[in-house]
């Protein structure tokens, strides 16, 4: 390999692209040499890397074979990214990998950890190879470090982005699931609330309920909060406001399924529940609502 | 713009228009309080369907109307409060407690007919 750039350079490695053309030409040549070295020692370096991964107890959610397979693909994409100096393929691979491993509970630090381990393993092998020629080692590292940093960066960012996408998607799903306003009888609506209520969700619930009252011309609404584990002052006040706003639209609200814990919390924090009509369970609530609407449910036997 | 007060059997009906000044509201209040006894009405329905916003003065006037009408021996029903208006009012603490409310004019009449029947 020709040394066009005679003087040894000492630069602080970082995520900085090469500045002048001679430099970039020299560095790409060095990278080519580097890639050849990594291809040659593929098996050995890969095994060393996998060994280091299990040593540091990363990726515990995956089996040894899986780690080995993934490590092989990551290694090859890594070398390819070094060779071509383009990161699109690696980015796509990182996204694809993240998609597969996020559902298995792999954490961000693990992904960053294994990429940094690979970087470390490769750097060590470069040290071992060029330890006699310090100037060359220096230049090789100059070429290697920025590329390796960019690779680590790309993979980490890809993973985090994928994670955030998954979180966003799930939040969306929860939001859509969260507020069914159902008509059980003419002029009787039920609103089953499940899960955690935050102020934003509470607001959305109220809006949907008020709109539902209007469109279904409801007289009575049963809000069932059996599925709500906890409630704070803000949410409790919001519930009271919902009840009052529903009354302004001419509908009576019955709240059912207050758990003992919530009952205790509400009494302790002193929320005024005097205006709320509460019944123990959903069945009782619907029965009460039917009475208010003038329905009477009888079995056929009773009727005859 | 003045609010017309219609007489329908034993009930007086006043329909709010979109833009009402404070003076109009005062005028409506005194008109209702006078006419409820003059026509020997048993109830007053105030329809606010057209109101997209109900400010504090308007809702205070509504409550005052309701209380004054009660003292004059009749009942008040407020009908047609929009969902957004309802929520905004509650957040401002204007809950119109002890004033009857109904979804719309029809519901208000149904409510009053039921009430009159039980009183007869």
């Amino acid at each position: 390999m020709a040394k066009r750039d005679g003087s040894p350079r000492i630069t602080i490695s970082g995520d900085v692209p090469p500045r002048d053309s001679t430099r970039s030409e020299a560095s790409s040549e060095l990278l080519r040499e580097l890639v050849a070295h990594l291809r040659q020692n593929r098996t050995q370096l890969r095994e060393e890397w996998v060994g280091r991964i299990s040593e540091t107890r990363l990726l515990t959610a995956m089996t040894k074979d899986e780690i080995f397979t993934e490590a092989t693909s990551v290694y090859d994409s890594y070398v390819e990214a070094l060779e071509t100096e383009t990161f699109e393929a690696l980015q796509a691979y990182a996204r694809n990998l993240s998609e597969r491993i996020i559902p298995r509970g792999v954490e961000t630090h693990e992904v960053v950890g294994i990429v940094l381990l690979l970087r470390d393993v490769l750097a060590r092998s470069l040290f071992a190879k060029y330890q006699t020629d310090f100037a060359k080692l220096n230049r090789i590292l100059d070429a290697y470090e920025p590329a390796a940093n960019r690779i680590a960066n790309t993979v980490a960012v890809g993973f985090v982005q994928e994670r955030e996408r998954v979180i966003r998607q799930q939040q969306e799903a929860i939001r859509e699931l969260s507020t069914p306003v159902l008509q059980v009888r003419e002029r009787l609506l039920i609103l089953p609330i499940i899960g955690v209520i935050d102020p934003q969700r509470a607001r959305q619930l109220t809006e949907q309920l008020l709109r539902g009252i209007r469109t279904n011309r409801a007289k009575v609404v049963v809000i069932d909060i059996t599925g709500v584990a906890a409630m704070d002052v803000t949410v409790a006040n919001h519930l009271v406001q919902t009840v009052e706003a529903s009354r302004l639209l001419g509908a009576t609200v019955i709240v059912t399924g207050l758990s003992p814990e919530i009952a205790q919390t509400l009494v302790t924090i002193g929320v005024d529940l005097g205006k709320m009509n509460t019944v123990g369970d959903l069945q009782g609530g619907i029965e009460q609502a039917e009475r208010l609407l003038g329905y009477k449910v009888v079995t056929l036997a009773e009727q005859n | 713009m003045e609010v017309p007060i219609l007489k329908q059997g034993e009930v007086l009906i006043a329909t709010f228009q979109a833009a009402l000044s404070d003076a109009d509201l005062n005028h409506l209040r005194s008109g209702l309080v006078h006419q409820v006894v003059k026509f020997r009405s048993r109830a007053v329905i105030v329809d606010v369907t057209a109101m997209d916003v109900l400010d504090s003065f308007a809702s205070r006037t509504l409550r005052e109307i309701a209380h004054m009408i009660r003292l004059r021996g009749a009942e008040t029903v407020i009908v047609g409060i929009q969902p957004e208006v309802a929520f905004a009012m509650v957040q401002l603490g204007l809950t119109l407690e002890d004033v009857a409310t109904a979804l719309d004019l029809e519901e208000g009449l149904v409510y009053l007919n039921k009430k009159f029947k039980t009183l007869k």
Side-chain angles (χ1 to χ4, degrees):
Chain A
M1 197 99 339
K3 284 200 222 166
R4 265 182 228 170
D5 195 0
S7 60
R9 272 161 204 272
I10 295 162
T11 43
I12 295 165
S13 62
D15 199 355
V16 186
R19 266 140 298 182
D20 53 77
S21 61
T22 26
R23 165 75 211 277
S24 89
E25 213 176 303
S27 84
S28 65
E29 212 155 291
L30 285 169
L31 274 178
R32 227 169 297 145
E33 189 181 334
L34 185 71
V35 168
H37 167 71
L38 297 182
R39 288 251 159 84
Q40 233 166 37
N41 299 296
R42 178 167 176 259
T43 320
Q44 184 221 326
L45 288 173
R46 195 181 48 189
E47 256 156 35
E48 194 182 331
W49 181 36
V50 173
R52 292 278 300 276
I53 291 175
S54 45
E55 225 172 84
T56 37
R57 286 173 208 284
L58 291 171
L59 297 182
T60 42
M62 294 164 80
T63 66
K64 245 197 155 102
D65 288 346
E66 277 176 317
I67 293 181
F68 194 77
T69 326
E70 293 296 351
T72 309
S73 336
V74 174
Y75 186 92
D76 291 341
S77 335
Y78 194 100
V79 174
E80 200 190 310
L82 278 177
E83 186 179 30
T84 57
E85 291 193 71
T86 53
F87 299 88
E88 283 81 17
L90 184 69
Q91 218 162 17
Y93 178 75
R95 210 170 307 136
N96 175 287
L97 174 69
S98 312
E99 228 168 87
R100 273 177 290 133
I101 61 179
I102 285 171
R104 324 235 340 224
V106 174
E107 299 288 337
T108 316
H109 77 91
E110 292 184 290
V111 169
V112 177
I114 61 166
V115 177
L116 292 180
L117 269 183
L118 177 59
R119 192 178 175 287
D120 185 48
V121 168
L122 299 188
R124 271 167 205 276
S125 99
L126 293 178
F127 275 120
K129 182 168 183 203
Y130 297 107
Q131 58 188 342
T132 48
D133 186 349
F134 195 70
K136 177 132 193 210
L137 173 64
N138 231 334
R139 272 177 293 123
I140 287 266
L141 286 181
D142 273 358
Y144 170 70
E145 293 276 336
N149 282 347
R150 265 194 81 181
I151 291 173
N153 204 350
T154 306
V155 172
V157 168
F159 183 82
V160 171
Q161 273 174 349
E162 176 62 23
R163 234 174 122 98
E164 278 170 2
R165 195 186 63 76
V166 169
I167 293 172
R168 262 199 306 279
Q169 205 175 29
Q170 286 172 345
Q171 276 178 336
E172 204 102 311
I174 291 170
R175 210 166 295 148
E176 272 173 30
L177 274 178
S178 67
T179 46
V181 179
L182 309 166
Q183 176 159 338
V184 275
R185 255 181 233 302
E186 201 62 23
R187 330 213 66 185
L188 167 56
L189 296 181
I190 59 172
L191 176 71
I193 306 179
I194 292 171
V196 180
I197 317 180
D198 55 18
Q200 191 210 351
R201 198 178 157 207
R203 209 190 153 80
Q204 194 195 3
L205 280 169
T206 309
E207 272 169 25
Q208 292 220 356
L209 177 62
L210 295 181
R211 228 170 288 142
I213 289 174
R214 207 171 163 72
T215 46
N216 295 300
R217 305 179 59 80
K219 290 290 294 175
V220 184
V221 179
V222 179
I223 300 181
D224 180 61
I225 56 169
T226 313
V228 179
M231 195 178 272
D232 61 10
V233 188
T234 330
V235 174
N237 280 326
H238 206 98
L239 189 63
V240 175
Q241 287 181 347
T242 305
V243 172
E244 285 170 351
S246 304
R247 201 191 68 85
L248 288 178
L249 293 185
T252 311
V253 177
I254 299 168
V255 181
T256 65
L258 275 154
S259 68
E261 292 80 22
I262 292 183
Q264 186 159 14
T265 320
L266 294 183
V267 171
T268 315
I269 60 186
V271 176
D272 177 21
L273 295 174
K275 290 174 214 118
M276 285 212 314
N277 195 347
T278 50
V279 177
D281 57 5
L282 181 60
Q283 185 188 346
I286 291 178
E287 283 166 4
Q288 165 101 339
E290 283 167 341
R291 270 196 294 280
L292 286 174
L293 288 168
Y295 287 111
K296 188 182 171 201
V297 181
V298 287
T299 60
L300 288 172
E302 267 178 79
Q303 201 179 16
N304 294 329
Chain B
M1 197 177 74
E2 256 177 56
V3 178
I5 298 171
L6 312 174
K7 183 175 168 299
Q8 157 75 43
E10 296 178 301
V11 182
L12 289 182
I13 301 172
T15 305
F16 272 32
Q17 315 299 329
L20 282 184
S21 67
D22 292 358
D24 294 333
L25 286 169
N26 285 333
H27 194 84
L28 171 68
R29 185 180 52 192
S30 55
L32 279 174
V33 175
H34 278 107
Q35 291 183 29
V36 74
V37 175
K38 184 170 148 205
F39 292 122
R40 312 198 64 240
S41 300
R42 296 177 66 185
V44 171
I45 292 180
V46 182
D47 184 0
V48 295
T49 310
M51 306 286 281
D52 297 328
V53 214
L54 214 57
D55 61 17
S56 57
F57 186 80
S59 40
R60 204 172 63 231
T61 309
L62 281 181
R63 200 178 51 210
E64 281 170 12
I65 289 175
H67 289 169
M68 288 160 80
I69 297 292
R70 182 171 314 143
L71 294 178
R72 299 277 276 171
E75 177 164 16
T76 308
V77 186
I78 315 271
V79 302
I81 299 178
Q82 302 289 333
E84 299 79 28
V85 174
F87 195 61
M89 283 171 67
V90 168
Q91 283 192 316
L92 292 172
L94 309 163
T95 53
L96 298 179
E97 301 118 14
D98 55 22
V99 180
T101 47
L103 189 69
D104 53 19
L105 187 57
E106 189 185 353
E107 287 300 312
L109 286 168
V110 169
Y111 167 82
L112 286 175
N113 281 337
K114 226 182 257 170
K115 190 140 195 185
F116 293 163
K117 229 177 262 165
T118 52
L119 288 179
K120 257 174 201 168

